[in-house]
Each structure stands twice: as structure tokens, then as C-alpha cells.
Amino acid sequence: MKTIIIAIDGYSSCGKSTMAKELARELGYIYVDTGAMYRCVTLYAIENGLFSGKSLDSDALEQRMDEIEIGFQRDEATGKAYATLNGRNVEDAIRSMSVSERVSMVAKQPYVRQKLVEQQQGMGRNKGIVMDGRDIGTTVFPAAELKIFVTASAEVRAERRFKELIDKGVEANYSEILANVKERDYIDSHRAVSPLRMANDALLLDNSHMSIAEQHQWLVDKAKEAMKD
């Protein structure tokens, strides 16, 4: 079987990261969470006072992009991957509502996207990767052998996000999360640079009413079809 690039795009809180991680594990591929990369930049901006409320000092962030080093490491105890920001484990911090409310503002900055896309393309030179995000199949890897576009209703996605935060012991409000999901959908779909859209040759996966096991099997089947010589 040939080694390929698998690009998984779609709306926020569709479970793209979870399904991409499991698919990569099943295939023995490398998993790259591009959404986490943008969240890391957002966390850096927050921690360094580059936000005033939800307003970003874009010029200041652009000048400091070279200070931001993002990586992914594997926790040997759990087998799970986690994101690092300048060598620090920030996996939990980048999932906070504070970051979620601001990440679209950071992600739409052309200089941020350019720098991170370059890093992402470098990760895919040898193929054998599963990468998820908003523009992987359209901008980062337009020639990927398998492209998946994931969607689900805003209400279902908000409920999943709400339960995730509650399970982690984080205080959460469903109405606020639903409003955030809808706002991010609009911003992601209408930004000037690499807007969220389904590639013409992508396969659509609506997982609103699918179990994790069902969507995993669907993905594995599609991947194995694409990997045939």
C-alpha cells in the first residue's frame, strides 16, 4: 500500500482532532493538530498582553512571531500527543474559552497563517501524516490523496464542547458556547485568507448522529481505499 497525506477539514468542535488522532494511530501515521498550532499562537498573544479584550494588537504579534516555537510530543504514560509552546505543555490551556473566543482573530492574520502553513507543509514532505484544520485540503495540501470535510449541526457541536469542559471540571455555559460556535463558523467561512470551504474532491462526513466507533470505521475504510497502489 502506498503512503499518503490525509487532510481532514471542517467546522469547529466536530471532533476532527479526536478522529484524526485515532486514524493516525490505526495507520501508524504521524498526527498534526493544526488547530492547536493556532491556539498556541493565541495563548502566546494572551499571555504577553497582545489582546485588549478581544482586540488583537496585530502589529505587535507580527513582530514577535519568531519568538513562538510550537511542537507536538507524545506522553509515554498515556500514549496521547500534546501541544507545546516554547517547550511548555499547553494542551489544557489552549482549550480554554479565553483562547476559543480569540483564536479566529489570530487565525485570520495573513502573517500567522503564512508562517504556520510553511511549518505544516514541511511536516508533510515525507507523507504518512494525518493533518486536521480548516484549510488543509484547499491550501496546505491541495494535492492530498484523501480529503475529508467534517460537519455537524451547531447545536450538536456546542453540546459536545459543553460536556468536554464539564468533564474537565471547567465551568461552562451552553448558550455562550453555542454563540461562540456560530461566531467562529461565520468568521472562519468569511475570512479573506484561506476561508473554510470544502474542497471539490473532498468526501463529506456529517457526524451529527454517528458514534465515535462508526466514524472511525468510516475513516479507516476510506483511508485504506486511498492507500491502495
Side-chain angles (χ1 to χ4, degrees):
M1 301 183 84
K2 63 184 178 182
T3 304
I4 65 174
I5 291 174
I6 300 174
I8 300 180
D9 291 310
Y11 291 96
S12 66
S13 302
C14 276
K16 297 188 302 298
S17 296
T18 299
M19 67 178 70
K21 289 175 185 176
E22 287 304 306
L23 180 60
R25 183 191 59 78
E26 176 92 9
L27 301 176
Y29 276 25
I30 295 171
Y31 166 66
V32 178
D33 181 355
T34 61
M37 296 175 73
Y38 289 98
R39 285 175 173 271
C40 283
V41 177
T42 304
L43 180 63
Y44 175 90
I46 292 171
E47 293 182 340
N48 286 273
L50 305 184
F51 270 101
S52 176
K54 293 184 182 179
S55 298
L56 172 68
D57 186 339
S58 179
D59 290 340
L61 178 59
E62 183 172 13
Q63 293 173 7
R64 300 181 68 169
M65 282 300 295
D66 288 339
E67 299 176 11
I68 302 174
E69 182 178 343
I70 300 167
F72 293 93
Q73 296 187 23
R74 184 175 180 273
D75 186 322
E76 296 300 330
T78 65
K80 296 181 179 180
Y82 60 87
T84 62
L85 173 60
N86 294 333
R88 174 169 57 103
N89 184 341
V90 293
E91 187 62 30
D92 289 336
I94 62 174
R95 309 297 173 183
S96 68
M97 276 302 296
S98 177
V99 171
S100 294
E101 291 173 344
R102 295 166 174 80
V103 64
S104 291
M105 178 63 66
V106 169
K108 73 178 184 179
Q109 304 301 324
Y111 58 85
V112 174
R113 302 197 68 81
Q114 180 181 350
K115 184 176 182 64
L116 296 191
V117 166
E118 289 173 357
Q119 291 185 25
Q120 293 156 13
Q121 290 173 334
M123 295 173 185
R125 287 197 183 99
N126 297 321
K127 299 196 176 185
I129 65 168
V130 180
M131 189 176 289
D132 72 282
R134 299 288 192 280
D135 60 353
I136 310 306
T138 54
T139 301
V140 183
F141 294 117
E145 291 86 350
L146 178 60
K147 302 176 187 178
I148 306 294
F149 190 88
V150 190
T151 188
S153 71
E155 290 74 17
V156 166
R157 289 181 283 137
E159 181 65 24
R160 290 172 180 169
R161 181 68 176 144
F162 175 76
K163 289 180 178 178
E164 178 186 356
L165 292 171
I166 293 298
D167 288 344
K168 290 182 177 180
V170 178
E171 186 176 344
N173 179 286
Y174 172 79
S175 296
E176 291 179 359
I177 294 173
L178 178 59
N180 174 247
V181 166
K182 291 181 177 179
E183 180 184 27
R184 288 183 64 190
D185 285 353
Y186 182 85
I187 293 174
D188 289 342
S189 300
H190 291 79
R191 65 189 179 213
V193 180
S194 299
L196 172 65
R197 66 178 180 83
M198 180 175 168
N200 293 332
D201 55 347
L203 303 178
L204 180 65
L205 172 59
D206 186 334
N207 67 5
S208 296
H209 306 292
M210 293 177 73
S211 68
I212 292 177
E214 288 172 337
Q215 68 182 15
H216 177 67
Q217 189 58 55
W218 186 92
L219 286 164
V220 170
D221 291 343
K222 298 302 181 185
K224 289 184 176 179
E225 287 179 21
M227 292 166 66
K228 290 179 180 177
D229 291 322

